[in-house]
Amino acid sequence: RAAGLDGGGAFQGWAGGYPEIVKENELFERYYRELGIVPAGEWGAFMAALREPLPATLRITGYRSHAKEILHCLKEKYFRELQDLEVDGQKVEMPQALSWYPEELAWHTNLSRKILRKSPQLEKFHQFLVSETECGNISRQEAVSMIPPLLLNVNPHHKILDMCAAPGSKTAQLIEMLHADMNVPFPKGFVIANDVDNKRCYLLVHQAKRLNSPCIMVVNHDASSIPNLLIDVDGRKEVLFYDRILCDVPCSGDGTMRKNIDVWKKWTTQNSLQLHGLQLRIATRGVEQLAEGGRMVYSTCSLNPIENEAVIASLLEKSQGALELADVSSELPGLKRMPGITKWKIMLKDGQWFEEWKDVPSNRQTQIRPTMFPIKDEEKLKAMNLERCLRILPHHQNTGGFFVAVLIKKSPMPWNKRQPKVHQKLLQRTGDSEVPAANSDNGSECVTEDPTLAENEESEKKQELQNSDTEQSKKEGVCGPPPSKKMKLFGFKEDPFVFLPEDDPLFLPIQKFYALDPSFPKMNLLTRTQEGKKRQLYMVSKELRNVLLNNSEKMKVINTGIKVWSRNSDGEQFGCAFRLAQEGIYTLYPFIHARIINVCIEDVKILLTQENPFLSKFSSETQKKVKDMAMGSIVLKYDPDPEKPDDLQCPIVLCGWQGKTSLRAFVPKNERLHYLRMMGVEVFKAKRKEEESESKTAEEVQHRLAQTEEGMDVEDKERDLVTKMEAEAGEESCHSPVESTAMEVENKIENLDQSSKNANSHVSQESKDTDTSNVKE
């Protein structure tokens, strides 16, 4: 089981609980000593570090304006309370900022799950961590896992593919980078996050959903054969090439020994030999889909050159100059790293060594492949610059072990040279990948010949026939696999994504009620219901709309879009059947020109601490603004006053409801606690009182809920999968429910009873860096 901080679950750590596992593995020591990946004289320190538990690490979500406030809160309040604190006779070390992570947004500490949960002195801090993690303001992630997204150099206009994304901590980092400018509600870039495991895709959804971005799509494919997608560019279909690709492949995980203790007894050289082929196929598929000038980061949580330099060298060799390793030595100053190696050998689990392919006996040639050996040609080897790879050793900065290589694509891959004209027609004919991925076993390449003119014409006719059934659906804005799709046989049957038609009568009252700006992109609104009443409206960016409309028949989409409006049964009598949804409010707010009430900080505190306060409790300014406003859904906006530096210095936008005599906020419980903390309100005691009174108010709240909201939408199928899953890498599982569904994480703040359960639950979202073998695939 893992120790340390996982990718979204809880803290783990400090010794205890593993007396049966001896942290010794003779084969491991013999193998890595011989390979010489650890500098001379450091072997003792390296092994000692591996036997120590991993420090817990957390990352503050970087793209919200609240990041600075959270950092201030952590440093000035919670960290100060840890000074000179002793728990069970052990001094609690002060948390330290990771020296190489920008703007002090990542920290590590020696606090363990056990200490946090059992120690009364740390109960407030633990509650803060759990609550802020569920809000998406803090991500609990291993330090080395934060490196690949940073080295991708993401800009808001980049189209990004995350090939093996679950459980999603790196994906979350990528989304943050897209939203670097919070004043831009729809960045031009997007993240397509893929995972082969249908169940783990829902963990991915849960992680990504906390960030409330209209620019993320979760898909379910085998990364080694992920299909080419088409997009509409000025009326013509073109293949989508990605500006950035994160290729964090399944690996043996021997860099995770400090938290994944099973690796000590299970480690063998066999794991790497079995994974090498898959890793090379995934990396090959990645570079095929990378745009020229684009950047792909290949990473593993393994120290083994068979999974690392051997994969990169093989990829570089068959690219014939189309790829080069980027020199990132000046990036992330403060990060201690070892250069990639150029010489290594292969060892079987019986201890037998091989230095060259020609030495491998025929009965071993299925286990050992030519691409696993170093390049012999010295000139070729020198040109590859393998030393530009990064290997992170655990004893250098008290981390896990990790490997990263950053690749730049200079020209099309040799087997894709004729891509622009020929391959688009070929693609439309096959509806599949550009060409078969280069054979990872022997490094041979598949070259696609030019189809003849007759073949081109024939393929176009076939394509017309193939598309005749789907074109009508596309015109109607319906995106979903046709009924015969085989992929519906496994995993969940997903509902279609249906874009709102241009003339949908549903939209006019919404537009009028909220005085939406003429620039509001209504064509980006979608629902998950093809027939019947539309209960929820979601929104994607126009770039993701383009992807959805042009690829629904070849792509298994698990989730996309953020909820912006929810149907309210009482709403129609107030002029609009849809109320605003909190998760989409920061995206919607720039387009809304009516029903906005600016409130002072005292008003915000009342809204967040009282369930349905009377108007008379609010400031006279707020009462005046509300007086002439019709009942219904409203926006509550707090703007900081720079002349009051002690007050909260970041803006807040809340969804609310104006009744006849009251004003309330529709904000999920954890977000309420987050905003109150940022305002310096002690929410710990308030929570205790709230829990005592919840049983009394539950019935009344249920009745009110029934009046104010109809049932959930079609897509609100029970998906507690996220919670039922025992963490596959041996993490401790959490048995409390996350939410009623992973797709529709509506906290329903109206229902205090339910939201209280949500506040106390958190999924044990294991970092994939903890896995021992092949967990992602």
Side-chain angles (χ1 to χ4, degrees), residues 319-331:
S319 81
Q320 297 174 18
L323 298 173
E324 74 172 6
L325 273 170
D327 180 0
V328 292
S329 56
S330 61
E331 297 181 36

Side-chain angles (χ1 to χ4, degrees), residues 739-759:
E739 249 102 13
S740 58
T741 111
M743 161 36 231
E744 188 51 58
V745 194
E746 165 89 294
N747 252 332
K748 303 193 99 168
I749 186 62
E750 306 96 312
N751 184 338
L752 279 179
D753 185 52
Q754 179 61 38
S755 59
S756 168
K757 289 176 191 170
N758 290 340

